[in-house]
Amino acid sequence: MAMIKSDKFNTAKKEVIKLLGKENVLTNKTALLLNCFDGSPVKSLPEAVLEIKDISKLPALIAVLNKHKVPFVPRAAATNHDGGAVAIKGGAILNLNHLDAVEDINIKEGYTLVQCSTVNGNLQKMLDKEGFFYAPDPASKEFSTIGGNCALGAGGPKTLKYGATLANVLGTEFILPDGTEIALSKNSQGPDLLSLLLRSEGTLGLIKKLRLKILPKPSFKRTFLAYFPSLTDAMLCVKEIIAAGIIPSALEALDHATLKASESPVEAQALLIIELDGKRTELPKHAKQIESFCKINKAVKLEAAQNEAKRRALWQTRLSAAAALASLGSGLFSLDCAVSRANLPKAIEQISAIFGKYGLRAGIVFHAGDGNLHPNIAFKENNLYELSNIKKAIKEIHQTICALGGTISAEHGIGVEKRAAMAMMFDENTLKIFRKIKTALDPQNVANPDKVLPIASVSEKKASPPQDIIPLIEAVKLANAENKPLNIVGLNTKLKLKKGNILSLKNLNKILDIDKTDYTITIQPSFCMKELEEELKKHNLYLPVPAVKGSIGGVFSAKTIPALKDYVTAIEAVMPDGSFISYGGKYVKNTAGYDLIALMCGARGAYGIVTSLTLRLLPYKAQKSEVLPFKRRLPSDVEFKLKKALDPNNILNPFLFEGTEDENKTP
């Protein structure tokens, strides 16, 4: 266990005591020991534990700690798996457990306002009495907090149908590392700062309050357990369910090793847990289809819940899986990664081979509908040989996932444990962007320092730009060399620029890939929205956003359809210095690093030139999302800081930050 020798907190101690009261500033050994760990093997003693009982004092407290350069780590339930709530640089642990009030439940407008440490399960119980529910329900919901769920991008079984945590956040009150308090909305103009800041694992500031979307409870549910002779058969069943336009509220899977550890009464290589919810009039048809798909794909046994008691009993198989594996040792490493649905069988096969190679007691549970895997490895703390093998195995698992084009984190975050693996997943240009974002918003490096970003590792991965992007890169580099700013336009339907040094992207108008297995499209930014809708119809695929005038890149960069961001899984971009980055993939969930899709969405080309977007599609028609008006606006202070860090010479769309927007527009 590490103990950081530092007198930084002592310099701030008097001011902190004055603010919080002496009784809430703990430096005794017992308090430090009780707050030196989380749900990971990482342990480190803080210098102090600060009990926060009055939420209104949080901004002032953060300002004091920042002034004295005291590192601070937000901590509530501390259920995370990667060392994110451990004070590895000393400083202060902020105990936020007292900030758990549900301040409002607005049934009429469909939202609830909660403080950061409201326990997910407690909120669910309160909403249940009102006939409503909050969709994200991670396995830890009975003790994990909403703030922690946001910081790590947690999801749970309902992600496939309802989206992960951030898709259900409508707004937030957020505290930056210098103590500045800001309010953000999902539909606010400009970059999607809400997603960027909330999902930063506390490294870009602190969540104070959250406004969450709530939904009426479905009137009918149907739950199935389907056992299969092979994982391939199970995944073929998943594919047919989704292709039929059926989106279950849960589509979970367990492998053979996990079933064995759980003492399953059925001998099978894979288990699917399928749950439907919705209207009583529509579910019987879907239930019959699912029964048919299971039989066609060789299910050896199919169980259906006939009542609520039976439904809960069936779910117990999934909920007890991790505990069953943990019982094989004295602890459990719970990994978290994601690949495309098409690569799920291959990923599981290769990870299982790694388990066998090192003789590990391990199994895999996964969200089959969205490609999110949880390899779980039991260990004994006193077995150093086993722990050494587990460390090697985890590295190989991360290498395997990256080689398959996946992500090393889908809902657990990076913390300390996966920092080095970030250099496997991202090229050095992308890691530099992450570092610039951190420095821009936390120049003192006090907000949960030394988390998320690799400390010593240098990426050997290269992001190679396509041939038709090279002239664009050269143009941006020349503009920097000659200090001649560029005004970036696509079809020019939003900005309507007519003056200045205009760089047109209108020739970047191709569809690069349509994947009918994973239901994705990769497309260049100037492809027309109306033409996109027509092209997708030919393939019986749909993007649930209106086919408005303009290009897909223009709508994305203007954020006139905020919901579009939730369907973008990857981007490629040329940055203001001419570097090329590739971020994301064909996986649905990704919480590795800072959300660069959120950074670019709504930024109007100020932080980089998006040269391609990968979007997930639906194999059925769905209700189309809201369109907002395109408004002229002044950037916020946070946007100015990011602009200075990412584009210090103000090369890309400079008028956005010079107050000269009107001069470049038609009347």
Side-chain angles (χ1 to χ4, degrees), residues 100-105 107 112-114 118-134 214 217:
D100 61 352
V102 176
E103 296 189 358
D104 187 22
I105 296 177
I107 299 301
T112 179
L113 181 65
V114 304
T118 300
V119 173
N120 186 306
N122 292 346
L123 174 64
Q124 303 283 12
K125 291 168 188 172
M126 293 178 69
L127 292 172
D128 186 66
K129 294 176 183 178
E130 304 289 340
F132 275 69
F133 76 105
Y134 168 63
I214 59 174
K217 287 173 60 180

Side-chain angles (χ1 to χ4, degrees), residues 199-213:
R199 210 208 71 198
S200 66
E201 303 188 36
T203 64
L204 299 180
L206 197 69
I207 299 167
K208 183 182 176 186
K209 296 182 183 180
L210 294 153
R211 188 160 56 92
L212 309 171
K213 177 171 65 178

Side-chain angles (χ1 to χ4, degrees), residues 396-417:
E396 290 187 24
I397 290 170
H398 287 153
Q399 289 171 334
T400 296
I401 293 299
C402 291
L404 291 171
T407 173
I408 59 174
S409 177
E411 58 180 352
H412 289 178
I414 299 298
V416 178
E417 291 284 88

Side-chain angles (χ1 to χ4, degrees), residues 226-382:
Y227 296 86
F228 292 87
S230 76
L231 183 64
T232 299
D233 293 322
M235 293 311 301
L236 285 173
C237 185
V238 169
K239 181 180 178 181
E240 291 196 46
I241 289 170
I242 294 174
I246 302 170
I247 302 298
S249 57
L251 191 47
E252 300 290 283
L254 282 68
D255 73 346
H256 174 71
T258 306
L259 287 172
K260 186 176 180 180
S262 302
E263 299 181 351
S264 169
V266 180
E267 180 60 33
Q269 292 298 311
L271 165 68
L272 288 184
I273 304 173
I274 309 162
E275 184 161 282
L276 301 171
D277 68 11
K279 297 177 182 178
R280 187 177 291 271
T281 54
E282 64 185 19
L283 285 206
K285 175 186 174 183
H286 290 168
K288 286 183 179 179
Q289 285 178 286
I290 283 175
E291 289 177 0
S292 174
F293 293 144
C294 290
K295 291 175 182 176
I296 289 170
N297 288 288
K298 307 174 187 176
V300 296
K301 184 175 182 181
L302 180 65
E303 295 181 53
Q306 302 302 321
N307 52 53
E308 180 62 18
K310 180 64 174 175
R311 188 185 77 83
R312 292 180 182 275
L314 292 185
W315 264 109
Q316 193 58 36
T317 304
R318 167 66 175 89
L319 297 176
S320 63
L325 283 166
S327 68
L328 301 178
S330 58
L332 192 73
F333 284 96
S334 182
L335 307 185
D336 167 52
C337 45
V339 294
S340 64
R341 276 190 294 261
N343 277 330
L344 256 179
K346 188 181 295 185
I348 292 169
E349 180 184 349
Q350 293 182 18
I351 291 171
S352 297
I354 293 170
F355 291 160
K357 174 182 176 180
Y358 291 102
L360 303 179
R361 294 159 294 172
I364 305 172
V365 298
F366 53 104
H367 309 302
D370 58 32
N372 182 186
L373 303 105
H374 293 297
N376 293 315
I377 307 172
F379 68 91
K380 292 184 177 179
E381 285 187 309
N382 59 354

Side-chain angles (χ1 to χ4, degrees), residues 409-577:
S409 177
E411 58 180 352
H412 289 178
I414 299 298
V416 178
E417 291 284 88
K418 291 194 284 233
R419 288 180 311 186
M422 288 281 283
M424 297 181 197
M425 182 173 170
F426 295 108
D427 62 276
E428 196 60 29
N429 286 339
T430 306
L431 292 175
K432 284 178 182 177
I433 299 302
F434 293 156
R435 294 187 183 105
K436 286 179 180 180
I437 292 170
K438 171 66 171 175
T439 302
L441 301 184
D442 184 19
Q444 305 274 34
N445 193 29
V446 292
N448 211 3
D450 288 5
K451 309 288 174 65
V452 178
L453 304 179
I455 302 299
S457 304
V458 176
S459 176
E460 296 182 2
K461 186 175 180 179
K462 303 292 182 185
S464 300
Q467 281 297 117
D468 57 353
I469 304 302
I470 292 175
L472 181 61
I473 292 172
E474 291 174 348
V476 173
K477 288 183 177 179
L478 181 62
N480 272 282
E482 296 181 350
N483 196 26
K484 291 183 178 179
L486 298 170
N487 293 329
I488 313 300
V489 299
L491 300 184
N492 209 14
T493 57
K494 296 288 189 299
L495 292 175
K496 293 183 169 61
L497 297 179
K498 62 180 182 179
K499 294 181 180 179
N501 188 18
I502 292 178
L503 180 62
S504 174
L505 308 180
K506 66 180 181 180
N507 291 328
L508 296 180
N509 59 1
K510 303 179 188 68
I511 291 177
L512 303 175
D513 175 63
I514 295 181
D515 187 333
K516 296 181 183 179
T517 300
D518 280 309
Y519 306 119
T520 64
I521 184 170
T522 301
I523 190 168
Q524 290 184 322
S526 292
F527 201 91
C528 178
M529 289 288 288
K530 291 184 179 180
E531 291 179 13
L532 173 60
E533 183 176 66
E534 292 303 314
E535 184 65 27
L536 291 177
K537 280 182 182 177
K538 297 176 187 177
H539 301 277
N540 293 317
L541 295 171
Y542 304 90
L543 180 66
V545 300
V548 297
K549 182 180 179 181
S551 65
I552 183 73
V555 171
F556 176 75
S557 65
K559 206 170 75 173
T560 50
I561 306 178
L564 176 63
K565 186 259 174 185
D566 293 334
Y567 291 89
V568 179
T569 67
I571 58 171
E572 291 182 336
V574 177
M575 301 307 291
D577 62 357

Side-chain angles (χ1 to χ4, degrees), residues 112 118-125 127 132-142 144-150 152-170 210-215 249 277 367 411 589:
T112 179
T118 300
V119 173
N120 186 306
N122 292 346
L123 174 64
Q124 303 283 12
K125 291 168 188 172
L127 292 172
F132 275 69
F133 76 105
Y134 168 63
D137 61 340
S140 60
K141 67 182 179 183
E142 294 303 322
S144 66
T145 66
I146 303 292
N149 295 166
C150 283
L152 301 177
K158 292 191 179 77
T159 296
L160 179 64
K161 183 172 183 177
Y162 296 105
T165 297
L166 289 182
N168 291 275
V169 177
L170 302 174
L210 294 153
R211 188 160 56 92
L212 309 171
K213 177 171 65 178
I214 59 174
L215 300 166
S249 57
D277 68 11
H367 309 302
E411 58 180 352
K589 295 155 69 181

